[in-house]
Amino acid sequence: MKSILVPVGSSKNAVSHLQYAVDFANTFGAKLYVVQVYNVDTKAGTMMKVDEMIERESLGFLKSHVDKVNQRNVEIVLKTFKGKLGDTLDTACKTLDVDLIILEPRTNSIKDEVYLGKTSGKIIKQTNIPALIVPEGYVYKPIVKILLAMKSAIINKDDALIPLMEIKNQFKSVLNLLLVKTPFYNEGDLDVSDNLLNHITNSTTSENATTYQGVLEHYKENNPDLLCVVRRNRGFFSKLWESNTILKKDFHSSSLPVLVLSGLK
């Protein structure tokens, strides 16, 4: 993992989250891009240098946050981008060859009952880059146990599991697998390839309406330091993502980081 991106918003957790991102990047020896995306429509007759002014203010905002953290000799690059959030970040990640986005659940200061705010929700839904959602105020620590939850173990993309395996290998983590048989089960969905099976310590099969319900039923007994799920069109958060906002009462495992992989198929 060579390149990590962390968007910075106006939440009260921004500095704490940035410190986690720095500590995580330091473990992997990765470059850290600290970014902010803005979208301002300038109309005819307005100042010609509005973009330059906003970019300067955004860079100053980012620098003020970076100055508040222990940088641990991590290479930190500040970037601002103009455009729509999802598309702009997706393009930026591809251009910068980013391996992982580290997100705080709420990039703006919103109600305490919200787990995943609209901005972070849009990033997860609209980009195809692996993302690590880190709970508010969560202090960096080694990842000892990982729970990988899937409704289908079919993997057609060779690089889909790379972020998970890099984390597992770096921390020498125990990787447990939860296979959830849903009403949308297809023949072969629960057949685990040898390539994945070689990395698994324990495997559990559960029958639930959704992968999400399977996780709620089993994650406590696994007691993971990291939950790993797969981004699909109708995947782990599908029921919750009818809107971009997810409430804490609807996501009870909001006390641990969640790694969201891009689609495996």
Side-chain angles (χ1 to χ4, degrees):
M1 197 171 297
K2 299 178 180 179
S3 181
I4 297 171
L5 183 145
V6 53
V8 175
S10 59
S11 79
K12 60 185 179 182
N13 181 61
V15 174
S16 172
H17 178 73
L18 182 56
Q19 184 65 67
Y20 182 96
V22 170
D23 293 342
F24 190 91
N26 180 58
T27 296
F28 287 87
K31 178 187 294 186
L32 184 66
Y33 290 100
V34 180
V35 307
Q36 188 171 63
V37 177
Y38 65 92
N39 186 15
V40 177
D41 294 325
T42 53
K43 299 179 181 179
T46 59
M47 289 189 304
M48 297 297 292
K49 296 186 178 181
V50 170
D51 284 349
E52 289 88 341
M53 180 183 69
I54 295 175
E55 181 179 7
R56 185 169 60 251
E57 290 178 351
S58 293
L59 286 172
F61 173 81
L62 294 177
K63 186 177 185 303
S64 69
H65 280 68
V66 170
D67 288 343
K68 295 174 184 176
V69 302
N70 184 339
Q71 300 179 28
R72 304 194 187 283
N73 295 317
V74 172
E75 182 181 356
I76 299 176
V77 180
L78 308 184
K79 292 281 187 181
T80 63
F81 299 98
K82 179 183 177 180
K84 293 183 178 180
L85 182 67
D87 293 340
T88 302
L89 271 184
D90 201 38
T91 301
C93 285
K94 291 174 182 176
T95 302
L96 300 172
D97 198 20
V98 167
D99 300 305
L100 182 72
I101 301 176
I102 298 183
L103 291 174
E104 55 178 323
R106 306 181 298 172
T107 57
N108 299 308
S109 297
I110 54 179
K111 297 178 180 179
D112 285 341
E113 64 266 23
V114 172
Y115 163 64
L116 195 64
K118 289 183 178 180
T119 301
S120 297
K122 283 183 179 179
I123 293 172
I124 292 294
K125 287 174 66 175
Q126 297 177 14
T127 65
N128 199 35
I129 308 299
L132 179 64
I133 306 171
V134 181
E136 295 172 27
Y138 193 85
V139 178
Y140 175 83
K141 65 178 182 179
I143 298 171
V144 179
K145 294 176 67 176
I146 303 172
L147 176 62
L148 170 60
M150 311 168 73
K151 70 176 182 180
S152 174
I154 297 174
I155 303 171
N156 293 330
K157 291 185 178 180
D158 294 336
D159 60 349
L161 294 176
I162 287 178
L164 171 62
M165 294 307 166
E166 288 188 341
I167 291 173
K168 176 186 181 297
N169 294 336
Q170 180 65 40
F171 294 101
K172 297 179 173 58
S173 311
V174 171
L175 177 58
N176 294 330
L177 175 64
L178 172 63
L179 289 171
V180 182
K181 186 176 182 180
T182 73
F184 302 100
Y185 167 80
N186 294 310
E187 191 67 32
D189 276 347
L190 304 185
D191 297 336
V192 183
S193 68
D194 290 339
N195 185 41
L196 175 58
L197 197 59
N198 290 336
H199 298 279
I200 301 299
T201 300
N202 295 301
S203 181
T204 302
T205 301
S206 174
E207 289 196 33
N208 297 92
T210 64
T211 310
Y212 172 77
Q213 290 181 8
V215 168
L216 292 184
E217 182 179 332
H218 291 280
Y219 88 90
K220 285 186 177 180
E221 66 191 51
N222 283 273
N223 192 29
D225 301 295
L226 175 70
L227 171 64
C228 181
V229 297
V230 178
R231 179 194 288 108
R232 302 183 192 272
N233 290 335
R234 301 296 298 173
F236 177 72
F237 284 126
S238 60
K239 184 177 180 181
L240 301 178
W241 279 351
E242 299 303 330
S243 64
N244 291 319
T245 300
I246 297 177
L247 301 180
K248 288 180 179 177
K249 70 180 181 64
D250 294 325
F251 185 55
H252 304 292
S253 56
S254 59
S255 60
L256 72 159
V258 179
L259 176 65
V260 185
L261 300 176
S262 58
L264 306 184
K265 296 183 180 180

